[in-house]
C-alpha cells in the first residue's frame, strides 16, 4: 500500500467521514485515521444514542396521556438494561455501515492516533503517511471540572455506559446535554436534580425558550437549583453528595453527571511540528474556507470552536471537499441561519437571533416580535397540559424574519421546513400569505398577529 494520499482526514466522526467520502466521490485518494469507533461522538456517545433515550422518555409521557384517549394503561415498568442493549446494538450496526461505506468508496482506514511530522506528513503508531491536503476533524470530549472528588461523577460518555438506572441523580450544567439528560432521567423515573452555575438553563437562547424549558422540567418533577458553583463531591458507601461554594450541600445521589461543556481533542496531535496555530483553549482557528494558518491543512467541526453541531461539521466537510476536489472554487459553509433543536420534553427549536440580540443589532424601532402561547390539541382531553410557545422576530420595514423560536410537540420536525424559508429571506408577509394546515401546531407560525 502506498503511503501517499490526496487527502488525509484525522478523525472518523460525522464531519470527517462526510468530508472523506465526498472527496473520494471526486476520485481523490483518501485516508481516514481514527483510534475509536467510526462515527465519532454523535453516533457513539452523542446525538444518536441521546435521541434513542429521548424517544424512550417521550413514550413514558405518551403512556401517561393514553388514558385520556380511552386506553386502560397499567402502571408501566421500565427495563433500563434492555433499552441500553438495544440502543448499543443499533449504534454497533451504524458503526458497521460506516465501515462498509468507506470500503465501498476505497477509502483507506488506519486505526490509531495521528501525530504531525510536518505540514504534509503524519505518524500513526510508527508509520508515516503523506497527504497533499490534511484535514483535522478530531472533535472534542466532555470536560470534568478540576474539583476534589470530581472523578466520582460521570460525563455524557459515562451516562451511556450506565447499565442500571440511577434512582437519585444530579445533573450539573445548563446547556443541551444537561437539559436533555435531566428530561430523560426524570421521565424514566429517576429523582432528578439539575444545577446551573448562573441564572437557569440555556443561557444563550431566547428568553421564551428558556422559560418554557424550565417550566417543563419543573412540571416533570426535576428540582432546579440556580447559582450553584460546585466545590467538590464526597463519596460514602456509594452515595454521593455535592458541595457548593456557598456552603449548600446536595444529595445523596447515586450518580452525578457533569454536563459542563466540551474541550477540543487537540492534545497529542503535534500541531507545533506542522506550524499549526492553536488558541488558548486548544481550538484550531480557521477562516471562512476551513483553512488553518498552514496552506494545505484544514480543520472542521467541534475542534474549530465554531458551531458545535453534527450537521454543521458534515456540511462544512462536504463543502470543503467540493472546493478542493470538485472544482467548486467558491464553495464554503456560511455560518448563519443555522437551525438547531434541544431535545427537551417537549422539544425546543431555534434559528436566527434571539429577541435580545435582534434589539441590540437593529434597535427597538426596527424590531417586531410576534408570539403565541397555547395548549396543543393532543392535550385537550386530559388533565395533563403541555403548553407550546412560539416567537417570530422581524427586522426592518419589510419585516424580514431574523429569528424563529418554537417550543412544543413537533418543534424538531417543523423547524426544518421553516428554516428553508427563513434562509431564503422570508418576510412576515410571506408567512401570513401561506395557507395554514389545520389543525396543527405549525399553523400558529403562519397565523400570528
Amino acid at each position: 500500500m502506498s503511503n501517499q494520499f490526496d487527502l488525509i482526514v484525522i478523525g472518523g466522526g460525522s464531519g470527517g467521514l462526510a468530508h472523506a467520502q465526498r472527496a473520494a466521490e471526486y476520485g481523490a485518494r483518501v485516508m481516514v485515521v481514527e483510534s475509536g469507533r467510526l462515527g465519532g461522538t454523535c453516533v457513539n456517545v452523542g446525538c444518536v444514542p441521546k435521541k434513542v433515550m429521548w424517544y424512550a422518555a417521550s413514550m413514558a409521557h405518551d403512556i401517561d396521556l393514553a388514558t385520556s384517549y380511552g386506553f386502560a394503561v397499567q402502571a408501566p415498568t421500565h427495563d433500563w438494561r434492555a433499552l441500553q442493549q438495544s440502543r448499543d446494538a443499533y449504534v454497533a450496526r451504524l458503526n458497521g455501515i460506516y465501515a462498509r461505506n468507506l470500503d465501498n468508496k476505497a477509502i483507506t482506514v488506519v486505526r490509531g492516533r495521528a501525530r504531525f511530522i510536518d505540514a504534509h506528513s503524519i505518524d500513526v503508531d510508527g508509520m508515516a503517511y503523506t497527504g497533499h491536503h490534511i484535514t483535522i476533524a478530531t472533535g472534542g470530549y466532555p470536560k470534568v471540572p478540576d474539583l476534589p472528588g470530581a472523578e466520582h461523577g460521570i460525563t455524557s460518555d459515562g451516562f451511556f455506559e450506565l447499565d442500571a438506572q440511577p434512582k437519585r441523580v444530579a445533573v450539573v450544567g445548563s446547556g443541551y446535554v444537561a437539559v436533555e439528560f435531566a428530561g430523560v432521567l426524570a421521565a424514566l423515573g429517576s429523582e432528578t436534580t439539575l444545577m446551573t452555575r448562573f441564572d437557569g438553563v440555556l443561557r444563550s437562547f431566547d428568553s421564551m425558550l428558556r422559560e418554557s424549558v424550565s417550566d417543563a422540567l419543573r412540571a416533570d418533577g426535576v428540582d432546579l437549583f440556580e447559582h450553584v458553583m460546585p466545590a467538590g463531591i464526597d463519596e460514602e458507601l456509594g452515595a454521593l453528595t455535592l458541595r457548593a461554594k456557598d456552603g449548600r450541600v446536595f444529595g445523596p445521589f447515586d450518580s452525578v453527571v457533569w454536563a459542563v461543556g466540551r474541550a477540543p481533542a487537540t492534545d497529542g496531535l503535534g500541531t507545533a511540528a506542522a506550524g499549526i496555530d492553536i488558541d488558548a483553549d486548544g481550538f484550531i482557528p480557521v477562516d471562512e474556507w476551513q483553512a488553518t494558518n498552514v496552506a494545505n491543512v484544514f480543520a472542521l467541526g467541534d475542534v474549530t470552536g465554531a458551531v458545535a453541531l453534527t450537521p454543521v461539521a458534515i456540511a462544512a466537510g462536504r463543502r470543503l471537499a467540493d472546493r478542493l476536489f470538485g472544482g467548486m472554487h467558491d464553495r464554503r459553509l456560511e455560518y448563519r441561519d443555522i437551525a438547531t433543536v434541544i431535545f427537551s420534553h417537549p422539544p425546543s427549536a431555534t434559528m436566527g437571533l434571539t429577541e435580545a440580540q435582534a434589539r441590540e443589532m437593529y434597535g427597538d424601532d426596527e424590531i417586531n416580535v410576534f408570539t403565541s402561547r397555547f395548549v396543543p390539541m393532543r392535550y385537550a382531553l386530559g388533565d395533563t397540559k403541555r403548553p407550546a410557545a412560539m416567537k417570530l422576530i422581524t427586522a426592518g420595514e419589510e419585516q424580514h424574519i431574523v429569528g424563529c423560536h418554537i417550543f412544543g410537540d413537533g418543534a424538531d420536525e417543523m423547524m426544518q421546513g421553516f428554516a428553508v424559508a427563513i434562509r431564503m429571506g422570508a418576510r412576515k408577509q410571506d408567512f401570513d400569505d401561506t395557507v395554514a394546515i389545520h389543525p396543527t401546531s405549525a399553523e400558529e407560525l403562519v397565523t400570528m398577529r
Side-chain angles (χ1 to χ4, degrees), residues 236-250:
E236 184 176 355
L237 299 177
L240 305 177
T241 55
L242 186 144
R243 290 177 285 107
K245 290 185 178 180
D246 61 8
R248 285 180 290 174
V249 178
F250 301 89

Side-chain angles (χ1 to χ4, degrees), residues 8 51 101 112 216 282 310 374:
I8 294 176
K51 189 69 182 288
N101 287 343
T310 295
F374 59 97

Side-chain angles (χ1 to χ4, degrees), residues 77-336:
T77 59
H78 181 261
D79 189 335
W80 179 283
R81 179 61 175 158
L83 173 61
Q84 181 200 32
Q85 291 174 335
S86 297
R87 183 197 69 209
D88 291 352
Y90 174 59
V91 169
R93 290 198 298 274
L94 294 180
N95 296 146
I97 291 170
Y98 274 118
R100 289 192 295 275
N101 287 343
L102 294 176
D103 186 59
N104 291 338
K105 290 181 170 62
I107 295 172
T108 299
V109 178
V110 175
R111 297 291 187 169
R113 295 189 178 276
R115 183 177 183 84
F116 279 94
I117 299 171
D118 55 43
H120 284 279
S121 303
I122 63 168
D123 172 272
V124 183
D125 296 334
M127 184 70 71
Y129 303 90
T130 300
H132 183 66
H133 300 293
I134 299 177
T135 298
I136 302 168
T138 48
Y141 60 91
K143 293 179 181 178
V144 175
D146 184 15
L147 298 172
E151 70 277 6
H152 294 302
I154 61 174
T155 64
S156 54
D157 290 0
F159 173 84
F160 292 114
E161 295 174 356
L162 290 172
D163 55 14
Q165 181 178 357
K167 293 182 179 179
R168 304 162 301 176
V169 59
V171 181
V172 183
S174 62
Y176 287 78
V177 175
V179 166
E180 292 171 345
F181 281 9
V184 165
L185 288 160
L188 296 181
S190 295
E191 297 176 16
T192 306
T193 300
L194 178 59
M195 305 177 195
T196 67
R197 291 182 63 187
F198 301 105
D199 56 343
V201 299
L202 304 174
R203 296 183 67 241
S204 63
F205 290 81
D206 189 84
S207 59
M208 182 201 74
L209 289 183
R210 298 187 65 209
E211 294 166 7
S212 297
V213 170
S214 295
D215 290 345
L217 286 168
R218 291 190 176 97
D220 288 339
V222 176
D223 290 326
L224 268 66
F225 292 92
E226 299 177 357
H227 302 288
V228 178
M229 298 288 287
I233 294 178
D234 298 317
E235 187 273 336
E236 184 176 355
L237 299 177
L240 305 177
T241 55
L242 186 144
R243 290 177 285 107
K245 290 185 178 180
D246 61 8
R248 285 180 290 174
V249 178
F250 301 89
F253 303 111
D254 302 305
S255 184
V256 174
V257 183
W258 297 117
V260 293
R262 296 178 64 83
T266 49
D267 288 348
L269 270 178
T271 49
I276 301 166
D277 287 342
I278 290 185
D279 70 16
D281 295 317
F283 293 103
I284 299 177
V286 294
D287 65 12
E288 61 183 343
W289 307 98
Q290 306 298 143
T292 70
N293 63 302
V294 177
N296 66 294
V297 179
F298 305 87
L300 57 89
D302 294 5
V303 76
T304 68
V307 183
L309 297 170
T310 295
V312 170
I314 291 171
R318 287 174 176 163
R319 285 160 174 75
L320 177 58
D322 290 340
R323 183 167 67 85
L324 295 179
F325 302 103
M328 303 181 193
H329 303 298
D330 296 326
R331 187 74 161 145
R332 61 184 173 84
L333 177 62
E334 295 181 351
Y335 286 80
R336 65 174 182 85

